[in-house]
Amino acid sequence: DVKVTQSSRYLVKRTGEKVFLECVQDMDHENMFWYRQDPGLGLRLIYFSYDVKMKEKGDIPEGYSVSREKKERFSLILESASTNQTSMYLCASSLQTGTYGYTFGSGTRLTVV
Amino acid sequence: TQLLEQSPQFLSIQEGENLTVYCNSSSVFSSLQWYRQEPGEGPVLLVTVVTGGEVKKLKRLTFQFGDARKDSSLHITAAQTGDTGLYLCAGERPGNTGKLIFGQGTTLQVKP
């Protein structure tokens, strides 16, 4: 069964901490994405990567960075966590074309206190 | 700018009723997808439609892509409590390889 695995289901971090969210896929997909999901705002794209070491900003990249050193792994980094980054974070992967759909991880519920 | 508008945003119905969710845009999409998300989980792909006018059925769910490839609908017949969840439509813009634009979602509650 194909999978996208996010390292943590729940995280609680303090304001100012550096936070790492890890995502691993086992489908040899080229594309990987990080979204945040907030009530009333839907899914908003933070960053995506279409190849190893390649990245592109999404709609809300401020306060975040990403790393993709290996094809199967895509990390989201909150450089200095703030309370407005409290959210559900979803990782997804897909083939080069989005036509075949995204496979999502189960999400990480991050609370910044 | 919200490129994909879903309606209604919330829907609460009794088991056995029928319902339709709409996904509309002024933009053309090369494909459109529907996902369902349950609380605490990531969205799961239900279907992809590619051809204008295409209709796909998945048991009690019927998906339609508009002729102009700008809109889509999801119809559920005889809803069951297991259909409860957040339904998301997502479109792929021509030439925007790999990136999907998501609607804001429709929260469906089916009461027994």
Side-chain angles (χ1 to χ4, degrees):
Chain A
D1 198 15
V2 295
K3 269 191 172 180
V4 174
T5 303
Q6 293 186 230
S7 53
S8 305
R9 293 298 298 267
Y10 300 95
L11 275 179
V12 179
K13 296 292 182 180
R14 294 193 180 278
T15 302
E17 277 192 78
K18 191 168 187 176
V19 181
F20 294 86
L21 302 183
E22 306 287 346
C23 176
V24 178
Q25 52 100 358
D26 64 0
M27 296 163 284
D28 202 35
H29 281 171
E30 292 86 3
N31 294 345
M32 295 189 75
F33 307 85
W34 275 105
Y35 286 87
R36 63 177 284 177
Q37 185 175 30
D38 301 287
L41 297 177
L43 271 70
R44 292 182 291 168
L45 181 63
I46 305 171
Y47 267 97
F48 76 99
S49 169
Y50 48 91
D51 202 351
V52 175
K53 297 190 185 294
M54 305 302 286
K55 62 185 178 184
E56 196 167 310
K57 292 180 180 179
D59 300 318
I60 51 165
E62 297 77 21
Y64 303 94
S65 63
V66 290
S67 172
R68 194 168 180 198
E69 296 296 318
K70 293 184 178 181
K71 190 175 186 179
E72 66 270 19
R73 187 179 296 270
F74 193 36
S75 303
L76 179 70
I77 303 148
L78 284 66
E79 299 291 343
S80 177
S82 63
T83 54
N84 63 13
Q85 291 178 309
T86 292
S87 186
M88 168 71 103
Y89 289 87
L90 289 165
C91 175
S93 72
S94 77
L95 293 169
Q96 266 189 343
T97 171
T99 305
Y100 298 100
Y102 288 4
T103 302
F104 282 90
S106 297
T108 296
R109 172 72 65 183
L110 173 67
T111 302
V112 182
V113 298
Chain B
T1 304
Q2 186 63 33
L3 295 181
L4 268 176
E5 297 284 346
Q6 277 187 246
S7 63
Q9 287 191 37
F10 301 97
L11 197 52
S12 182
I13 61 171
Q14 295 294 135
E15 199 168 29
E17 291 184 12
N18 301 332
L19 67 115
T20 303
V21 177
Y22 299 94
C23 180
N24 294 301
S25 176
S26 57
S27 302
V28 174
F29 293 98
S30 54
S31 70
L32 198 138
Q33 300 158 22
W34 286 91
Y35 293 79
R36 186 171 80 199
Q37 184 178 19
E38 298 188 15
E41 297 295 330
V44 175
L45 179 68
L46 295 174
V47 78
T48 300
V49 285
V50 178
T51 307
E54 184 176 2
V55 177
K56 280 192 175 179
K57 292 194 174 184
L58 188 66
K59 296 183 181 178
R60 295 175 292 101
L61 278 61
T62 302
F63 304 86
Q64 185 161 8
F65 201 10
D67 291 341
R69 292 186 291 138
K70 293 181 179 181
D71 53 81
S72 182
S73 64
L74 157 62
H75 181 79
I76 301 179
T77 303
Q80 299 176 356
T81 55
D83 295 326
T84 292
L86 176 68
Y87 289 82
L88 295 158
C89 66
E92 182 181 22
R93 296 287 301 278
N96 202 12
T97 305
K99 280 173 65 177
L100 296 179
I101 297 167
F102 283 85
Q104 289 182 308
T106 295
T107 299
L108 171 64
Q109 180 187 45
V110 182
K111 295 179 283 189

